[in-house]
Amino acid sequence: MPQVTPHDDVPIYDLVGVGFGPSNLALAVAITEHNARSGEAATAVFLERQPQFGWHRGMLLDDATMQVSFLKDLVTLRDPTSQFTFLCYLRDRERLVDFVNHKSLYPLRVEFHDYLEWAAAKVDDLVLYGHDVVSVTPVTDGDTVVYFDVTATGPQGTSVYRARNLVLATGLKPSLPTGVAGSERVWHTSELLHRVGELSADSPYRFVVVGAGQSAAEVTAFLHERFPHAEVCAVFSRYGYSPADDSSFANRIFDPAAVGEFFDAPGDVKRMIDGYHANTNYSVVDGDLIDALYARFYREKVLGTPRLKMYNVSRLTGVAETGTGVTADISLLMSGERVALDADIVVCATGYQPADPLGLLGDAARYCARDELGRPQVSRDYRAVTAPEVEPGVYLQGGTEHTHGITSSLLSNTAVRSGEILQSILDRRARLATRPALTAPALSA
């Protein structure tokens, strides 16, 4: 384990962020704004394995809209006067008046992604793209852990970044059904737009889309429209697509104040709330999209040209590759019948699973406390509870749904969450700043 020495030439940062999706982007914006108005700048570097900013690029369908208001952008709920708001982006793109005339709170997903790229470009002095974090090592002074050394490989080789605080935002991992492996013919929705361009629009394909949530419904509609001679078979275990509860009172579960209320609630109340309001986010579909899909389904039934087929109350139990395609094994749950459906492509809209938020720490994860289910214990400021001998903070952007509620990995509370994390780091910096430190150099890609 490395010890601090007087001649260490490793750059020291107030925080090193791992991952640069919307959550750590919002934190970089908060740092930039703090440094612009404060005489005591916070030093930071964010390490991102992608070569450029990107957020769910595989699902940036032309007509897909956001499910959250544009006001829940990177900054507005924290500081509506910020120059990083979605409205400032629209003004910069000369579309502000046009957006107002559109009379919608929900921008196109491609537009919101462009907003995120616009904001990322304004803070690119804090980010190193193409840098893959390979290890995190504690640095000690005697028996006390005083820093974490973050080792990353990048275009110019391997570098080390010393952190007074870590902010882990490593995102979610695509999830496939049990026993199903991805292949040239078995896709996860995260790959959709990267793969679909290889297919001929005029071919009579058969697609199987697995899943009952928003992504599944969007992919079903997209494939049905893009391939006019194709058959699209939707497979899901529900009787039909279920509408999202986006009513005004239910949406209060996404309020910033709801985070603290959830955090302080007893465990049984947390579980009750999760059960009551899972339909605000999980396995649900926008009502207008449900209506549009049913209209297509019914129209084709009237015309006698059914291309959109629904295998409801059904489950995909396996996929077998054949010489010319795949065979999807489908269990019809009501009757117990099994169907072998020959197809060209299976698209799994089966969501994402959180990785262990502390997994990147390797052996250093032993310093972090876990609950009886193996989940990180986390304080209200999103800091993992660590052993007394650990001075640096380990902050989690995601993986805290069990402690902070449903907004743990969602955009809804990103602006406020990033502000709280930064404030926590600044409040603790005075004690950590007594350690020997070097000025962090300017970043180079």
Side-chain angles (χ1 to χ4, degrees):
M1 188 176 299
Q3 292 277 329
V4 174
T5 65
H7 303 294
D8 260 336
D9 58 357
V10 177
I12 300 174
Y13 296 88
D14 289 320
L15 70 92
V16 174
V18 181
F20 199 66
S23 292
N24 267 354
L25 169 56
L27 180 55
V29 168
I31 292 167
T32 298
E33 293 183 318
H34 165 79
N35 290 350
R37 64 176 180 263
S38 171
E40 297 183 72
T43 56
V45 58
F46 294 88
L47 306 171
E48 169 56 50
R49 67 173 58 181
Q50 295 187 100
Q52 60 186 5
F53 182 86
W55 180 61
H56 295 306
R57 286 184 178 273
M59 280 293 289
L60 293 180
L61 306 178
D62 287 348
D63 56 354
T65 58
M66 297 293 293
Q67 308 313 125
V68 298
S69 166
F70 73 89
L71 293 171
K72 294 183 176 182
D73 58 19
L74 298 169
V75 290
T76 296
L77 295 186
R78 174 175 58 81
D79 178 11
T81 67
S82 168
Q83 293 300 304
F84 286 85
T85 65
F86 182 76
L87 292 179
C88 286
Y89 154 80
L90 289 174
R91 180 188 60 193
D92 195 55
R93 292 288 195 257
E94 299 182 351
R95 287 200 309 270
L96 179 57
V97 173
D98 293 328
F99 184 84
V100 171
N101 289 338
H102 190 40
K103 299 180 182 179
S104 175
L105 290 172
Y106 307 103
L108 290 168
R109 195 177 297 155
V110 291
E111 181 176 35
F112 200 81
H113 189 277
D114 189 57
Y115 157 67
L116 296 175
E117 288 184 295
W118 171 85
K122 291 179 175 292
V123 297
D124 64 358
D125 58 315
L126 299 180
V127 191
L128 291 173
Y129 293 104
H131 280 65
D132 192 10
V133 173
V134 295
S135 68
V136 175
T137 306
V139 178
T140 60
D141 185 359
D143 294 329
T144 302
V145 177
V146 292
Y147 304 116
F148 285 111
D149 275 357
V150 181
T151 302
T153 58
Q156 274 112 31
T158 300
S159 301
V160 178
Y161 307 87
R162 183 159 290 176
R164 294 190 178 95
N165 297 277
L166 291 175
V167 183
L168 306 179
T170 51
L172 304 171
K173 299 188 300 184
S175 177
L176 293 172
T178 302
V180 175
S183 70
E184 290 297 312
R185 293 184 178 271
V186 180
W187 308 344
H188 187 268
T189 48
S190 59
E191 307 172 272
L192 180 70
L193 293 184
H194 307 314
R195 309 286 292 269
V196 77
E198 302 168 2
L199 304 181
S200 168
D202 297 324
S203 295
Y205 298 112
R206 176 182 281 165
F207 295 97
V208 175
V209 180
V210 183
Q214 181 71 23
S215 293
E218 287 179 354
V219 169
T220 298
F222 168 77
L223 294 174
H224 186 266
E225 181 175 339
R226 182 182 177 105
F227 299 93
H229 304 293
E231 183 178 283
V232 182
C233 304
V235 179
F236 46 85
S237 57
R238 300 187 177 211
Y239 209 87
Y241 294 115
S242 299
D245 184 357
D246 61 354
S247 58
S248 300
F249 283 116
N251 271 345
R252 296 177 70 186
I253 197 171
F254 301 110
D255 290 356
V259 175
E261 294 166 355
F262 188 93
F263 184 86
D264 292 332
D268 60 336
V269 175
K270 285 184 169 76
R271 290 187 290 274
M272 180 187 73
I273 293 299
D274 286 341
Y276 283 159
H277 294 293
N279 65 344
T280 58
N281 185 63
Y282 296 112
S283 296
V284 288
V285 182
D286 177 75
D288 290 341
L289 180 55
I290 294 175
D291 292 342
L293 280 172
Y294 191 85
R296 295 189 199 190
F297 174 78
Y298 184 74
R299 181 176 66 247
E300 292 183 347
K301 197 168 188 178
V302 170
L303 297 175
T305 57
R307 292 194 300 113
L308 180 57
K309 299 187 176 181
M310 300 290 174
Y311 288 81
N312 63 337
V313 199
S314 300
R315 180 174 295 133
L316 181 75
T317 57
V319 177
E321 301 273 350
T322 67
T324 57
V326 291
T327 298
D329 293 321
I330 299 170
S331 174
L332 308 183
L333 301 179
M334 298 282 269
S335 66
E337 181 184 354
R338 304 184 78 86
V339 175
L341 192 61
D342 291 330
D344 297 283
I345 301 292
V346 173
V347 183
C348 297
T350 43
Y352 296 80
Q353 290 293 327
D356 179 358
L358 301 176
L360 194 64
L361 297 182
D363 290 342
R366 70 183 186 276
Y367 292 111
C368 300
R370 296 181 183 266
D371 66 14
E372 67 279 3
L373 297 178
R375 301 170 302 190
Q377 294 184 22
V378 188
S379 57
R380 175 61 184 85
D381 57 0
Y382 301 93
R383 183 164 51 91
V385 176
T386 53
E389 66 270 22
V390 178
E391 288 188 347
V394 178
Y395 293 84
L396 305 180
Q397 294 251 46
T400 60
E401 190 165 330
H402 60 293
T403 54
H404 290 69
I406 199 169
T407 62
S408 170
S409 60
L410 303 180
L411 284 172
S412 298
N413 203 40
T414 297
V416 174
R417 181 173 64 246
S418 62
E420 290 176 345
I421 290 174
L422 176 58
Q423 191 59 54
S424 175
I425 289 172
L426 294 173
D427 288 346
R428 300 178 67 243
R429 183 169 63 173
R431 179 167 62 86
L432 298 176
T434 61
R435 293 287 172 187
L438 300 177
T439 301
L443 303 183
S444 57

